[in-house]
Each structure stands twice: as structure tokens, then as C-alpha cells.
Amino acid sequence: VSTPIAPSPVPTPGLAKRMKKSKQSLQVTKDLGRWKPADDLLLINAVLQTNDLTSVHLGVKFSCRFNLREIQERWYALLYDPIISKLACPAMRPLHPEAIAAIQSKVLFSKAEEQLLTKVGSTSQPTLDTFQELLHKHPEVFYPSRTPKALQLHWQLMKQYYLLDDQT
């Protein structure tokens, strides 16, 4: 009568590596379904504009609700995961120019942009020409797709919430 050999509690290195790889690929395929190319483009533009993932989480509306951790993970995956970046970049290329323009219009305002907008007085009645001049004077500060109308709308919001320099 032979005694059965008990299974080893420590998995072989090859098995552990396969299990880890399997988990990674499961995570990659799970993310592929939720993150659309438009979301990736919006995430990239918003982070480059604000340099703040928390602001992006709080201020950007994606195609579905992502928590802060998911946004952080996707940002780092786009930067450092060769599999994800190789899949995401070609998926963003065929986006229609109108879709890209719509995505760019959703990009948050940076602190530098808002700082310039606060200089426009709350008692003045600025026209689109005022904001066009602001865009012309500071092209390095404003996001390339900003329009005078977009600046005016954001300025009005800032005025409504008493965020301009001459308001208390």
C-alpha cells in the first residue's frame, strides 16, 4: 500500500506567474469594455490641462461613472502599460473631428486660465471681443480649442459664484 503524496502548499514559480498574468489580462479586458476611446482622449486632455486627477474625477463627465481609483489606474495604464497604450492609441485615432471637438470642449479650465479670467471686472459688461483679445494676448495659457464664447460662459459662471478679483 502506497501513501498518497500531499500536494505542495507552495505553487511552482511557473504557475504563480501564469496566475498573475491571467489576473492582469482579466483586468485589461475588464477595463477595455468600460473605457471608450472618447473617455481616454478626454482623460488625457483633462489631465494635461489641470495636472490633477482629483479635479478630473470631480469635474469631468465621462461616458460612465468612474471612481477616483479607476481614473488613476487608467491614467497610469495609459502611461506605463504597453498593452493598454497599444490598444488605446489606435482606438482614439479614428474618432471623428466633430467628436474630438466635442471632447475638447469638455476639458476643464486650468488655474492659469481662471486666473486670467478673474482679471475681467465683474462690473464691466465684457463682449466676445474682450475674450477674443484675452485669447490673442495669452495663447500659451489657454487651451487651443477655447473660443471667446467658452471664455465668456466660464467667466459668467465665475461671476455668479463670486470668484472674480473685484468681488468679495
Side-chain angles (χ1 to χ4, degrees):
V1 176
S2 65
T3 58
I5 299 172
S8 151
V10 178
T12 61
L15 181 63
K17 195 174 190 178
R18 271 183 292 186
M19 287 173 55
K20 187 176 181 182
K21 198 171 193 176
S22 167
K23 276 186 181 179
Q24 282 178 337
S25 65
L26 201 95
Q27 181 66 30
V28 166
T29 54
K30 184 188 106 177
D31 284 346
L32 282 178
R34 290 190 66 209
W35 284 94
K36 309 287 184 258
D39 291 330
D40 285 337
L41 185 60
L42 183 56
L43 175 64
I44 290 166
N45 285 324
V47 172
L48 290 176
Q49 185 66 10
T50 61
N51 297 321
D52 184 6
L53 288 169
T54 304
S55 296
V56 171
H57 171 250
L58 294 172
V60 173
K61 187 173 182 178
F62 293 100
S63 67
C64 64
R65 189 175 296 253
F66 296 110
N67 62 36
L68 178 59
R69 184 167 178 246
E70 290 171 319
I71 289 172
Q72 289 170 335
E73 286 174 358
R74 184 61 176 191
W75 175 247
Y76 294 123
L78 287 171
L79 286 176
Y80 302 115
D81 188 327
I83 297 169
I84 298 240
S85 55
K86 279 182 185 173
L87 292 172
C89 289
M92 288 184 271
R93 278 191 205 105
L95 287 173
H96 194 274
E98 289 178 11
I100 292 172
I103 290 166
Q104 289 175 337
S105 71
K106 295 178 186 177
V107 171
L108 299 174
F109 278 75
S110 68
K111 292 191 186 318
E113 287 176 316
E114 287 186 337
Q115 191 64 41
L116 286 173
L117 286 174
T118 61
K119 304 290 185 222
V120 179
S122 64
T123 55
S124 66
Q125 294 297 323
T127 63
L128 288 178
D129 291 335
T130 308
F131 296 107
Q132 178 62 49
E133 187 178 324
L134 204 56
L135 280 171
H136 185 69
K137 282 183 180 176
H138 306 282
E140 72 286 349
V141 174
F142 288 103
Y143 188 71
S145 66
R146 297 275 191 241
T147 62
K149 185 69 178 166
L151 294 185
Q152 185 181 42
L153 290 173
H154 196 73
W155 177 84
Q156 288 170 344
L157 268 175
M158 292 176 73
K159 179 180 176 183
Q160 178 183 343
Y161 290 103
Y162 297 95
L163 298 173
L164 301 178
D165 280 352
D166 62 348
Q167 292 178 312
T168 55

